Amino acid sequence: MRATWLTIWVLLAALPATGARAGTDWQAGAAIRQSTAVLHWQDNGALLPDGWQGISDTRARPNVAVKFDRGRADLELEINGTFSSDAGGMLAGSPGASFLGTAVPLRFHSLRWRPVADNDVLVQGWIDRADVAFRAGPLDLQLGRQPIGLGTSHFVSVLDILAPFAPGDLDSTFRPGVDALRIRTGVGDTGEAELILVGSDPIGDFAAVARSRLQWGLFDIEALAGRFRQRGFGGLGLEGEVGRAAVWAEAALVQRRGEFAPGGGPRAAASVVAGADGFVKGEVLLSSGILYQDSGARDSADLILVQSAGPVAEGWQFLSAAAYWFVSASYEAHPLVRLDGSGLVNVIDGSTFWQPRLTWSVSDEADLSLFGWLTGGRRADLSGAIPEPRSEFGIAPRGAGLYARWFL
């Protein structure tokens, strides 16, 4: 089965080349991302390492693209090698990703191979993009494994449900691809309508999304409706300008599937996020917002129930409580140096997650970041037979590391 899907996607990406003509444009390149971090786990009584651990993660991404008369085709591989100083450290994942987790994208097949999968060393690779895009009359079509982002794509999103980035994810250079067919067409002078069909394994988890976007005054408005992972959903998103500030907001309503519903609740869970950003004193870009989600825990005792089933377990939601405040800031200290910082505050239990970051440009095609993870909150209750979390971020690791990117 793996070989079958591999053959299908490679042939799909290479299809336009079979009719290549004079003037066909071929491009090839690669990206390398390296993350190295040292983490400190507090004693929480859970199946996580106690003490210090180091993680190194290297990702190479070779790619090839061909542009032809009315379209293009892309093929990109992701090759990943991860080493952890502690076997239990594999639970922490890559230091380039947020400790809150990584998305589980919808795909027919992972197209993944793992030549090495020991307790502390993991070497793997997969096809992350293999698609063909072309124009047919008034329609733009795109078929194959491709990145798809929904919503306003800010620090936290409630509409980005196909392959979202976790809050605080350092390695967000490439969005994971999903296996999809997209059909787009223009509507009026500034509008667009789109149908997105996404395959999955099992097939019953497929997604079908109708999407409409239009410009209204100074605002871009997006409306979504459809189903994914056997759930019906709908939502609205907007972003625009009010005075000197940029504002954004998203609202979603997602059908429940029998998972734990904090406080009872109806058959659908509502989520709302809203925020604004603007320059302070002309140099510092400050962003802030709030998030509320019906699917989140209202009490720290319910955190395990929320994390073990439903949206978090399915890999499209990362935060487990009902309400958050988030903030981020960015300052260009020098044309080659940028300071960034972001933070999450769990309003329910008072725990916090802060991520400072210093990035400097090494060359036109490379940059290097020094980052940290600072967490705070009540530790787990170890008095009983089973440890119980008393805050979401109180059991998370603290650490620091380096993140580097090269584009070839």
Side-chain angles (χ1 to χ4, degrees), residues 167-238:
D169 195 333
L170 288 170
D171 195 5
S172 58
T173 309
F174 299 101
R175 181 183 293 271
V178 297
D179 296 339
L181 168 64
R182 303 178 70 177
I183 305 172
R184 295 184 293 270
T185 187
V187 177
D189 294 332
T190 61
E192 181 181 73
E194 180 176 13
L195 176 64
I196 305 172
L197 303 175
V198 186
S200 66
D201 182 21
I203 192 65
D205 285 346
F206 78 92
V209 180
R211 183 185 194 186
S212 177
R213 288 181 287 185
L214 60 89
Q215 187 174 12
W216 182 56
L218 298 177
F219 286 87
D220 293 321
I221 300 176
E222 176 176 354
L224 300 169
R227 63 96 69 190
F228 74 107
R229 299 184 187 274
Q230 304 180 39
R231 302 172 183 268
F233 87 102
L236 290 172
L238 66 87

Side-chain angles (χ1 to χ4, degrees), residues 115-278:
V116 180
D118 294 332
N119 286 333
D120 54 0
V121 178
L122 176 63
V123 178
Q124 59 183 337
W126 60 92
I127 295 179
D128 198 62
R129 183 166 186 176
D131 70 298
V132 177
F134 56 93
R135 187 163 184 84
L139 302 178
D140 291 318
L141 289 87
Q142 191 169 357
L143 176 64
R145 181 160 293 178
Q146 57 190 282
I148 300 178
L150 305 176
T152 58
S153 300
H154 286 273
F155 189 70
V156 180
S157 174
V158 298
L159 294 179
D160 197 10
I161 43 85
L162 296 180
F165 290 118
D169 195 333
L170 288 170
D171 195 5
S172 58
T173 309
F174 299 101
R175 181 183 293 271
V178 297
D179 296 339
L181 168 64
R182 303 178 70 177
I183 305 172
R184 295 184 293 270
T185 187
V187 177
D189 294 332
T190 61
E192 181 181 73
E194 180 176 13
L195 176 64
I196 305 172
L197 303 175
V198 186
S200 66
D201 182 21
I203 192 65
D205 285 346
F206 78 92
V209 180
R211 183 185 194 186
S212 177
R213 288 181 287 185
L214 60 89
Q215 187 174 12
W216 182 56
L218 298 177
F219 286 87
D220 293 321
I221 300 176
E222 176 176 354
L224 300 169
R227 63 96 69 190
F228 74 107
R229 299 184 187 274
Q230 304 180 39
R231 302 172 183 268
F233 87 102
L236 290 172
L238 66 87
E239 58 181 335
E241 297 180 2
V242 176
R244 300 177 59 184
V247 299
W248 73 90
E250 297 179 6
L253 192 64
V254 180
Q255 179 184 0
R256 299 187 191 271
R257 286 189 56 198
E259 67 267 12
F260 171 69
R267 297 179 60 184
S271 301
V272 178
V273 63
D277 60 56

